Amino acid sequence: MNLGRNVTRAGVLIGALCMHAWAAAATAEYSVISANEKVGSLVATIEGASVDITFEVNNNGRGPKIREQLTLNEAGIPTQWRITGKSTFGAAIDEQFTWQRGSAQWRGQDGKGSSRMPQPKLYITNDGSPWSAGLYVRTLLKAKDHTLEVAPSGTLRLEELQKTHVGDVPVTAYAITGANLAPEMVLLAADGSLFAQLSSRQVLVRTGFESKVEQLQQLERSLRVKRLEEMQRRLAHRFDVPVRIRNVRVFDPHTETLSDPVSVVVFRNRIASVAAEPSDFTPPNNEAVIDGGGGTLIAGLHDMHAHNSNESGLFYLAAGVTGVRDLGNDNQLLLDLARRIEQGELPGPRIVRAGLIEGRSSYSARIGSIPETLPEALDIVRWYSDHGYRQMKIYNSFNPDWVAPVAKEAHRLGMRVSGHVPAFMSPDRAIRDGYDEINHINQLVLGWLTGPQDDTRTTLRLTRMANFAALDLDSEQVRTTIALMKERKIALDTTTVILERLMASRAGKVQKGDAPYLDHMPIGYQRYRKRSFVEFKSKDEDQAYLDSVAKLLDLMKVLYSEGIQMLPGTDDTTGFSVHRELELYQKAGIPAAKVLRMATYDCEKYLGFEQSLGSIEAGKFADFFLVPGDPTRNVSAVRQIQLVMKDGLLYFPSEIYQALGIKPFTTAPTVSGPAT
């Protein structure tokens, strides 16, 4: 009961703060909930103009642990903001914003800067806690048109979404846009205090209301779905007449070459023809016509390691990704999202579902399912099969002794088995016990770098990778595993891009993989990408991580030469990371045309869909994209996408990016003729 009074009192203080009134110290407490389990907490102590915050999360063996100290002026805007602690993967945080006498200075992982400003602007943190969300909403509510220029740069916008009740507490739901890739969903109580911050996989909620998380997640999904339904109506161009794309070359994955100039005709969701036009040909009046400008049409890319959200669909489509394999998600969210995409209600790629199964430990990932017994684990396999999942994914804390019976049951039901290699288990044993595929290149490598007592449920699965540069790829243990993979036809879902991002990230610097697009992005995302994800104890360790990233490319070349099927995946949802993954394949020494085949036809064949997807041929589904360059020479050409067609719906990335608050990279070709 005292806690409830303290929280209410803190909310009143925050509201009073904005009215230039002050009171004694009070504390606001929040829980972080994932999959109905508490995985963290936030405690904010407000005393006069000062706010002191501690924020800690431990989910999937990682999470931020920070302390924030703010000083607010009479308008409720910070003039001092200090953030210290550790980021999600353990990198040190020391971020600060200061405004005094018309001048502001800031520093963080992304660098430092300063600016003259007569009054302090609202500061967008790089490593702040969710408490800032309430601060942003309260400030934006007082701004003209609920829009505000912010520091270091950019503009925040606020939209009121819905008034409702959580229990007996009246709340208002808002969306903040302009800082990050997806709108931030925030609930404020009537007194102006933060009640909850909502995301698809994690909820921050006022202590005492943890039992309302399911209601909050349903609210979050309904609000996002409503917004995306409107965007789908506006951005998906539908045609009841044939669509003719003229003057294009088509990438043929079978020959790994480009065709001579042809026209590709689509009727509804199927490719009707792929053929050269006679010199005197004039398109019929009842067709929609697009001039491809001599560019290249490529079958839609596939991300073989995705974790979809409602918002990820538009990013994937804009990047030419028309198919993904989801390797672990909230089960109800994924089933609902896949259904809505299939029915054309929401934008997004085709989704192949893999069911994640985890073990119970203090390091458990709170997605998918966590059985307590082996019979329960087998029932979970059957549930996934009955709900149309095509694959099982085993995770870090899963009992190694359960792998063989779970794999046997999955295979009986026609499902493939993949996963992380569970802690205290080797990749070789996982393969012998029934794995068909290993997820993440580091999960393969860790088998050569760790011993029986090493706990890979922790961030050790990243930090131990610093030792990889010194490993001999011709050593007996490496050759033994590769030989076993060849013998059993084991595939590897690489996600090299995410390992590069984690291991080669350096505070204040833009990674090569992010450089082509980052300055087009919202300021919050730009700052987030200029960070270190791991802490380096010395210059030698710093260099070891960089050398190990290069060694990963050497390993990819070895695996390619040995005939191991590598599946391009990202463990990300931006679409841009798919492009970088393909660049890394080419950088590893794989020819660009071969990389394109691996990212299109080979993925569909692996999944069993090559008869209807993966190449641009008459009768197949109309899933493809147009680029102006020749990606068979340089796969980076896939970054300049002009149009995307998915299941017969036409999208222009320039329109998508504008709708998402991102500066477009290309212009859309003109469509002439009738359209509906």
Side-chain angles (χ1 to χ4, degrees), residues 222-238:
S222 68
L223 293 174
R224 292 191 188 275
V225 164
K226 182 178 179 180
R227 173 178 175 269
L228 288 165
E229 284 176 338
E230 187 280 324
M231 295 180 79
Q232 172 77 332
R233 288 190 290 269
R234 179 160 46 94
L235 298 172
H237 300 271
R238 304 169 186 266

Side-chain angles (χ1 to χ4, degrees), residues 458-510:
T458 69
T459 53
L460 179 73
R461 62 184 186 265
L462 169 63
T463 57
R464 183 57 59 85
M465 290 297 295
N467 297 351
F468 182 47
L471 182 68
D472 181 2
L473 295 182
D474 287 323
S475 64
E476 181 179 355
Q477 58 178 339
V478 174
R479 304 310 303 181
T480 297
T481 302
I482 293 176
L484 182 61
M485 294 177 75
K486 288 182 67 175
E487 175 193 341
R488 302 289 181 95
K489 295 181 171 57
I490 305 301
L492 174 66
D493 151 33
T494 48
T495 67
T496 308
V497 62
I498 207 71
L499 270 298
E500 179 192 49
R501 176 161 285 164
L502 294 173
M503 296 165 64
S505 62
R506 297 296 182 271
K509 297 181 179 180
V510 178

Side-chain angles (χ1 to χ4, degrees), residues 536-543:
F536 312 109
K537 299 181 177 65
S538 67
K539 289 184 178 180
D540 288 344
E541 188 176 39
D542 184 321
Q543 188 60 46

Side-chain angles (χ1 to χ4, degrees), residues 301 496-498 500-501 504 511-517 549 553 556 568-570 572 574-587 595 635-636 638-639:
L301 301 174
T496 308
V497 62
I498 207 71
E500 179 192 49
R501 176 161 285 164
Q511 287 196 37
K512 290 181 180 179
D514 295 326
Y517 71 88
V549 171
L553 302 186
M556 291 174 68
T570 70
D572 193 24
T574 64
F576 301 112
S577 52
V578 177
H579 301 158
R580 181 56 178 173
E581 179 83 350
L582 304 188
E583 289 174 342
L584 291 172
Y585 273 56
Q586 185 176 5
K587 191 175 180 181
V595 174
V635 77
S636 296
V638 300
R639 290 187 180 274

Side-chain angles (χ1 to χ4, degrees), residues 278-349:
S279 58
D280 60 349
F281 179 80
T282 300
N285 292 331
N286 68 337
E287 290 185 351
V289 180
I290 300 172
D291 186 347
T296 303
L297 277 187
I298 308 168
L301 301 174
H302 210 110
D303 186 345
M304 292 294 279
H305 195 123
H307 299 283
N308 292 272
S309 66
N310 286 313
E311 271 84 9
S312 64
L314 281 173
F315 287 97
Y316 273 131
L317 292 176
V321 180
T322 60
V324 300
R325 183 177 59 165
D326 192 297
L327 282 171
N329 216 317
D330 177 279
N331 294 326
Q332 192 55 51
L333 179 151
L334 187 60
L335 287 170
D336 183 64
L337 176 60
R339 175 184 62 80
R340 290 177 182 275
I341 290 174
E342 290 168 3
Q343 295 175 352
E345 299 172 10
L346 295 182

Side-chain angles (χ1 to χ4, degrees), residues 267-278:
F267 183 59
R268 294 179 180 161
N269 70 338
R270 295 277 182 171
I271 299 170
S273 66
V274 181
E277 295 177 351

Side-chain angles (χ1 to χ4, degrees), residues 22 35 86 241 332 356 409 544 558 642:
W22 302 92
K86 299 287 186 179
V241 299
Q332 192 55 51
L356 189 145
E409 182 66 4
V558 170
Q642 295 176 303

